[in-house]
Structure formats: C-alpha cells, structure tokens
Amino acid sequence: MQAFNKIIGYENVKKELMRIADILKNPEHYKKLGAKAPKGLLPDGDPGMGKTLMADAIIESSGRKAFICRKDKPNGSFVEHIAQTFEQAKKNAPSIVLLDDMDKFTNGDERHPDAEEYVTVQSCIDEVRGKEVFVLATVNNIRNLPRSLRRAGRFDRTIEVQAPRGRDAEAIIAHYLGNKKFVEGVDAKTIARIMDGRSCAELETVINEAGLYAGYERAEYITMDHFMEACMRTIFDVAAK
C-alpha cells in the first residue's frame, strides 16, 4: 500500500481507500466469506482536494490495469469514447475504469440528468456488471449527477473529501514546508489556523507564493510577512505591493 504514502493527512479517508484497494487486489479472501467487491466508488469534493491522487493510489495499489476517461473530446466523439473505455476495460478484466471529473462530462456546472453522457455511463456500468470491472469516478459536485447514476448498485460507495482541518491540515502544511526556508517560529500549526478550511491546492500555492515573494526580495528566509502577502493575493485577490 505504498501508493497511499503520497496522500498526506486524510487518515480516515485513506483507511477506507486502502480497504477498497485490498478488496480489488485480493478478492479471493473476501469471496471465501461470501463478500463481493463494491461495484463502484465516488470520491466527492471541491476541486483541489486530492481526489484524483486518491484514485491513482487505489489504481496503483490494486495492481489492476486502468482505463481513464476525461472530458477532452467534442461532445459527439466523447460519448463514443466513454463506450470504448468501458469496452477496453471489459476485455482486460479484472480492471478499473476511472471517470475523472465525471460531473464535467456535460456542459456547464448545472444538473443535466438526461444528458447523453450520463445515460451512456449508466448503460456501460450495467453492461460490465459481473465482469470484474471496478468503476471509480471523481466528482466536484455530486448533486449535479442524476440520482439513477449515483445510486447503490452502480456506485456502492461515496466518500466525501472535505478541506483538511486540524491534524490533517497540519500534516499537509508540514509536508509543503519541508523544503522551504522559513524563519524560525513559522510552523504548520500557525499556518493551519490562518488557512483553516482551504483546499490542499490552495495551501501548496500560498506557501510557494510566499517563497517567490521572498526570492524576489533576495531575502535569506521566508517570513510571515511574505506568507501573509501571498495569502492576501492568492486567497483574497488583493494585489501585492
């Protein structure tokens, strides 16, 4: 399960993800007990929370071949691409289909329950049932998906990935501070209090921006002033001095 070492913090989420990866890698232990692998997993959370990193960790740990589908084609050909992705996964089972940012498969950020893309995904999931194809789909807003698609039987597990707080936030910030030259006294706990409720991507960006400000000033160390300036610019869009 070394792939999960890349995920900093999120200890409770990691435990659940590791269980799923173990089920996919060692199904025989569960079959002896009459237990079946879940048919699919939906990590749900705002952008920048590390959902794709978590999905990649499941794929790597499971040892299964993965077939990845992202919205990078025009609407007509994309629907065909979805079907082809599932067909390849079925031919190479046991396998995983990763539908990355599935709620972006249709145009816009609103609900499109009858969109052809979602109808196709739903149909494909039903077609690979019983074929040892695990469906993993990251979403930024699960409410934009039709209920028929996200129900049990298609996606048996949903994991809500929230902004890191407390010890999780401190662990992530400590990781980002690891190779940065901050002045003494600036620690993960202090920054975690200031950045409470912010995404992993925002934490990384602000800390790096602070280093850029310090570098421009030819400073020997990154100070709290540099950090606060980066925070105001990145989080609150207040222009740097």
Side-chain angles (χ1 to χ4, degrees):
M1 296 290 179
Q2 291 184 350
F4 289 97
N5 292 336
K6 300 173 187 176
I7 303 171
I8 310 301
Y10 290 110
E11 294 304 322
N12 290 333
V13 172
K14 274 200 292 188
K15 287 178 183 177
E16 188 162 358
L17 298 178
M18 290 170 70
R19 289 192 195 102
I20 291 172
D22 187 67
I23 293 168
L24 297 176
K25 186 174 184 178
N26 304 295
E28 65 280 1
H29 298 300
Y30 299 88
K31 288 179 180 177
K32 290 178 183 177
L33 301 171
K36 299 177 182 178
K39 296 178 177 64
L41 171 68
L42 271 172
D44 167 44
D46 291 337
M49 298 298 179
K51 299 184 299 297
T52 301
L53 178 64
M54 294 175 183
D56 289 341
I58 288 178
I59 291 169
E60 183 178 338
S61 295
S62 72
R64 292 190 178 194
K65 189 170 183 178
F67 298 86
I68 301 171
C69 186
R70 295 186 176 96
K71 182 65 183 287
D72 57 1
K73 292 176 172 59
N75 288 346
S77 58
F78 181 62
V79 169
E80 183 179 346
H81 176 58
I82 294 171
Q84 290 174 347
T85 301
F86 275 88
E87 186 61 29
Q88 288 179 315
K90 186 167 65 172
K91 289 178 180 178
N92 290 273
S95 60
I96 293 176
V97 170
L98 171 58
L99 306 171
D100 204 19
D101 283 343
M102 185 170 67
D103 54 332
K104 302 295 184 184
F105 281 13
T106 61
N107 293 325
D109 293 320
E110 299 179 358
R111 293 188 71 248
H112 300 278
D114 299 322
E116 187 178 5
E117 291 85 353
Y118 292 148
V119 173
T120 301
V121 169
Q122 186 170 303
S123 175
C124 288
I125 290 174
D126 292 343
E127 287 178 10
V128 298
R129 185 171 291 148
K131 305 293 185 183
E132 290 192 279
V133 176
F134 184 76
V135 185
L136 182 54
T138 65
V139 294
N140 300 306
N141 188 347
I142 197 170
R143 291 183 295 276
N144 287 344
L145 301 179
R147 289 179 179 271
S148 59
L149 177 56
R150 53 188 166 98
R151 69 168 175 80
R154 294 196 172 107
F155 288 99
D156 294 337
R157 298 276 187 93
T158 298
I159 294 179
E160 187 176 1
V161 185
Q162 300 179 336
R165 295 181 182 274
R167 291 183 180 178
D168 283 342
E170 289 178 27
I172 292 167
I173 291 167
H175 173 72
Y176 292 144
L177 291 177
N179 64 345
K180 301 293 190 300
K181 201 174 180 181
F182 271 83
V183 295
E184 188 175 349
V186 178
D187 57 18
K189 185 172 290 187
T190 301
I191 293 179
R193 286 199 296 266
I194 297 171
M195 296 287 289
D196 184 56
R198 297 294 173 177
S199 71
C200 304
E202 287 174 315
L203 297 176
E204 182 178 16
T205 298
V206 168
I207 291 169
N208 189 67
E209 280 288 308
L212 296 180
Y213 286 134
Y216 184 71
E217 293 178 3
R218 303 298 189 267
E220 188 174 352
Y221 295 97
I222 306 169
T223 67
M224 182 56 79
D225 285 342
H226 295 132
F227 171 77
M228 291 306 298
E229 188 173 0
C231 187
M232 294 299 290
R233 179 66 183 89
T234 304
I235 302 301
F236 301 106
D237 200 25
V238 177
K241 298 178 182 178

